[in-house]
Amino acid sequence: MSGDLLVLVESNTTGTGRLFPEAARTLGLHPVLLAADPARYAWSGAVEAVRTDTDSTEAVVDACRALAATRRLAGITTSSDYFVGTAAAAAAALGLPGHAPDAVAAVRDKGAQRRVLAEAGVRVPRFTVTGSVHETLEAAGSLGYPVVVKPVTGSGSLGVRLCTDPDETARHAATVLAREHNERGVPVPRRLTVEEFVTGDEYSAEVQSGAVVGVTRKHLGELPLFVETGHDFPAPLAPEAREAVTAAAEAAVRALGLTLGPAHVELRLGPDGPVLIEVNPRLAGGWIPRLVQEATGVDLILETVKAYAGRPSAPGATPRGGAAIRFVTAPGDGVLSHVDGVAEARTAPGVIDVEIYREPGDRVALAGDFRDRIGHVLARGDSPAAAAAAAAEGLHRIRPALLTGEEVPA
């Protein structure tokens, strides 16, 4: 076994997490996965895996120290939003590159993050943090309807809803506040943010080592939910709008102390300019890093591994067209029977990747968040518009079919 170790604390279950080991090997590093159940990741058999209680920061630190006793540890990171705090704490304990754990904790709590940003002069929606249905109704009434109600932690649009009246607000707040654990079984704080609804298109700035590499246009499904249905990179923005989004994103990561490695900064371009929605101290999900690489040549995963392994990271983008992704979503609740049109989608001009995440026989249900996605179509073009059109055409050719009601096998 050769190469310094790069420890990966768990992974995201879909998307680019599986590419981190490959990036580590490209740099001559030996990837090691710490996971409570390594088998949950289909690719775990191709890496050294250590079964670890990753819900315990102390257990993760102990596992890293055990590895470091016999081999040199270059860095600790994660591709999972749920474990960025754990990875930061472990890196700090072993004197490795990483964000200050207190800074990551503040970023992970949307209420605390908003307070830091507002104090730094970064424009954010008006908001209130609440801990009960009564407090939520009071906050919504003070802000004025409609309001966005969401948990103070989480990603992938989980628990995020636009509420237009007190009855809807009370129902949604009660549902979210009743949740004691997230979908990975990790305890969650029972608090909400209630915020004004900012109109305008949604974008994300992809940041590496404090600098914006590019801006992504995000497509959302129908309100009152905020399911991301696709992305275009680079976003079709006028130069002055792009400059304003870039300035807001870079000011936000400076204020939050996130100048090492990646950050995914979500904004809305409102009537008076960009309004920052939230900052995530990790790479973007939804295959956005792949879009960036197709459109600029910058490998954000490789740059992330460099940063957390103490290697210089200064990505230089070379524009070479555009890239886009559109997600296949479940047409309803039931059991997936089959998916037609996949081969046809792969032959659509410009389409470079089609993937279906579910197998026939899998039960699917609309959850109103990223879990509604059952596949994707990714395309490349001479321009962002051409890539978007190609991805949309590929998606149009795919037809998922469900068994419902009495058709579902017992």
Side-chain angles (χ1 to χ4, degrees):
M1 188 180 301
S2 62
D4 296 341
L5 304 185
L6 179 78
V7 170
L8 305 170
V9 182
E10 297 284 356
S11 174
N12 48 347
T13 50
T14 61
T16 55
R18 67 194 189 208
L19 303 180
F20 273 67
E22 180 182 334
R25 294 187 187 103
T26 297
L27 296 173
L29 300 171
H30 179 78
V32 178
L33 172 68
L34 303 187
D37 178 16
R40 77 178 299 159
Y41 308 114
W43 48 267
S44 63
V47 299
E48 180 180 352
V50 178
R51 190 175 293 273
T52 309
D53 178 9
T54 49
D55 289 341
S56 165
T57 299
E58 183 179 357
V60 170
V61 170
D62 287 345
C64 290
R65 283 184 172 142
L67 289 167
T70 57
R71 289 173 282 176
R72 183 180 180 278
L73 198 56
I76 303 170
T77 188
T78 181
S79 60
S80 171
D81 186 77
Y82 303 109
F83 296 94
V84 290
T86 303
L94 277 79
L96 295 169
H99 297 303
D102 288 349
V104 174
V107 175
R108 291 275 297 136
D109 183 305
K110 293 177 177 32
Q113 180 190 127
R114 287 275 177 81
R115 286 189 285 270
V116 171
L117 292 174
E119 289 170 1
V122 178
R123 189 175 174 211
V124 298
R126 293 179 299 126
F127 75 98
T128 301
V129 177
T130 65
S132 69
V133 173
H134 176 70
E135 290 177 358
T136 302
L137 288 170
E138 284 193 334
S142 176
L143 289 168
Y145 288 98
V147 294
V148 179
V149 179
K150 59 188 176 185
V152 295
T153 61
S155 62
S157 304
L158 282 158
V160 183
R161 187 179 184 91
L162 182 69
C163 297
T164 58
D165 59 51
D167 288 343
E168 187 177 16
T169 302
R171 286 194 302 271
H172 184 59
T175 298
V176 177
L177 288 169
R179 295 174 184 160
E180 298 181 356
H181 300 83
N182 63 25
E183 69 279 7
R184 293 190 70 149
V186 178
V188 294
R190 299 171 78 175
R191 289 179 288 116
L192 304 170
T193 61
V194 185
E195 63 193 53
E196 68 171 317
F197 175 55
V198 179
T199 59
D201 291 337
E202 187 160 322
Y203 299 89
S204 66
E206 318 315 331
V207 180
Q208 190 71 32
S209 300
V212 171
V213 176
V215 179
T216 307
R217 169 76 166 91
K218 301 168 81 71
H219 296 270
L220 305 178
E222 294 295 322
L223 294 171
L225 303 175
F226 292 84
V227 180
E228 295 181 2
T229 58
H231 311 300
D232 302 336
F233 188 91
L237 282 170
E240 59 273 17
R242 187 178 302 279
E243 290 172 7
V245 167
T246 297
E250 292 182 351
V253 296
R254 285 195 302 270
L256 294 166
L258 301 178
T259 55
L260 175 75
H264 175 60
V265 183
E266 298 179 338
L267 314 94
R268 280 203 171 222
L269 200 52
D272 299 318
V275 179
L276 199 138
I277 303 301
E278 66 182 55
V279 178
N280 300 281
R282 54 163 173 80
L283 280 177
W287 288 102
I288 289 174
R290 171 80 183 275
L291 301 185
V292 174
Q293 187 169 12
E294 294 292 344
T296 68
V298 174
D299 185 342
L300 289 177
I301 299 171
L302 187 66
E303 296 301 324
T304 295
V305 172
K306 284 181 183 178
Y308 288 117
R311 310 279 183 89
S313 172
T318 303
R320 54 187 193 191
I325 192 169
R326 294 295 180 269
F327 294 105
V328 182
T329 55
D333 298 347
V335 172
L336 187 64
S337 170
H338 56 277
V339 181
D340 290 333
V342 173
E344 292 90 334
R346 289 185 173 126
T347 63
V351 169
I352 57 174
D353 182 44
V354 178
E355 184 176 347
I356 302 299
Y357 314 146
R358 303 294 191 91
E359 298 290 337
D362 285 352
R363 186 171 294 275
V364 297
L366 294 180
D369 52 54
F370 76 97
R371 293 171 293 180
D372 293 354
R373 305 173 186 165
I374 62 170
H376 72 247
V377 177
L378 196 149
R380 186 172 54 208
D382 292 337
S383 67
E393 172 58 28
L395 179 68
H396 178 70
R397 300 183 183 192
I398 294 179
R399 301 174 300 282
L402 297 182
L403 300 175
T404 59
E406 295 181 356
E407 299 176 317
V408 177

